[in-house]
Amino acid sequence: CRATNIILIFNKQLELVGEFKVNNCEDAHGIEVFENNLFILSTGNNKIIQTDLKGNLIDIHENCIKCSISSPHINTIKKSRDRLLVMAHRDGNNEGACLYEFNPATKECLCISRSLGECSHSILPLRERLWICDSLGGVVFSVSRKERNPEPSTSPELVKNIHIKTDGKFLLRGLALDGDSLYLGLSEKASTAERHQNVDGAVVVICAATGNTKERKIIK
């Protein structure tokens, strides 16, 4: 639950069935289950908090993403083989979105790529690639860990393939695949203060094979 330290638990019918608070968590963002533990991104203090599935604290991974003046805005975490992928809006070396690979066993956090769009969210493994939403840029792109930019300016950079372009009127937040349909979440652009009240969202259903829009549903 954003701006809190609370994790909400729903069943598959989207009925709220439980919740728990996580100490040391400030502004909870992405969560992921990995090896029967829950990993929670604490955006407000740049920590990854590890609990069991009942919320009992196991470990606190501090300052995994190094920063300078402004703290990185970590927002997305996704399981990938025996690692966790973490997306941040920025770090100490780049104001753009940055992708990290985090190893909970060793606490190592390695930057895979920087310059991955503006305020990027979501990581979807699909066809040996990682699909990502460039939230402010209004595009969905993918990267392969094998395709590196041969001449990055100052930091590691993966080559981006753009798959979906929008008119930029919405922030792109949320990406999921079900069968042959790709689900893309849209959030109406607004100021930070306005963003949490009286603004519409939407879900667009896209044919994964052709890229054609099949359905668009507005969420008031």
Side-chain angles (χ1 to χ4, degrees), residues 3 10 22 34 51 57 62 74 85 102 107-108 116 127-128 140 142-144 148 151 153 164 172 182 218:
F10 296 83
V22 182
F34 179 72
T51 72
L57 182 65
E62 299 193 46
I74 51 178
L85 297 175
F102 174 60
K107 297 181 179 286
E108 291 180 298
L116 289 179
R127 303 192 197 101
E128 301 302 318
V140 177
S142 72
V143 294
S144 167
R148 298 192 174 276
E151 296 181 2
S153 55
I164 299 168
L172 306 188
L182 189 68
I218 300 294

Side-chain angles (χ1 to χ4, degrees), residues 20 22 36-38 40 49-53 55-58:
F20 56 81
V22 182
N36 215 33
N37 283 182
L38 187 66
I40 304 154
I49 299 178
Q50 182 180 352
T51 72
D52 64 18
L53 299 184
N56 298 308
L57 182 65
I58 293 175

Side-chain angles (χ1 to χ4, degrees), residues 164 203-207 210-217:
I164 299 168
V203 174
V204 177
V205 186
I206 301 164
C207 177
T210 65
N212 296 329
T213 298
K214 299 199 290 187
E215 183 182 357
R216 177 168 167 159
K217 180 177 181 180

Side-chain angles (χ1 to χ4, degrees), residues 100-155:
Y100 280 77
E101 187 178 70
F102 174 60
N103 183 343
T106 63
K107 297 181 179 286
E108 291 180 298
C109 199
L110 174 68
C111 181
I112 298 175
S113 183
R114 297 186 174 96
S115 302
L116 289 179
E118 299 181 74
C119 296
S120 293
H121 287 68
S122 310
I123 303 169
L124 175 67
L126 180 61
R127 303 192 197 101
E128 301 302 318
R129 300 180 68 84
L130 301 173
W131 288 47
I132 296 168
C133 291
D134 182 339
S135 190
L136 282 177
V139 301
V140 177
F141 65 90
S142 72
V143 294
S144 167
R145 300 187 210 191
K146 300 176 182 178
E147 298 176 13
R148 298 192 174 276
N149 189 329
E151 296 181 2
S153 55
T154 58
S155 57

Side-chain angles (χ1 to χ4, degrees), residues 32-35 77-81 83-85 125:
E32 179 67 301
V33 176
F34 179 72
E35 294 184 347
I77 185 166
K78 187 71 175 179
K79 179 170 55 180
S80 177
R81 305 186 187 94
R83 299 287 192 276
L84 288 163
L85 297 175

Side-chain angles (χ1 to χ4, degrees), residues 1-2 6-20 31 53:
C1 184
R2 286 278 306 267
I6 298 172
I7 303 299
L8 304 176
I9 305 167
F10 296 83
N11 62 19
K12 291 186 178 181
Q13 288 70 48
L14 298 183
E15 298 166 330
L16 184 63
V17 295
E19 65 176 59
F20 56 81
I31 58 175
L53 299 184

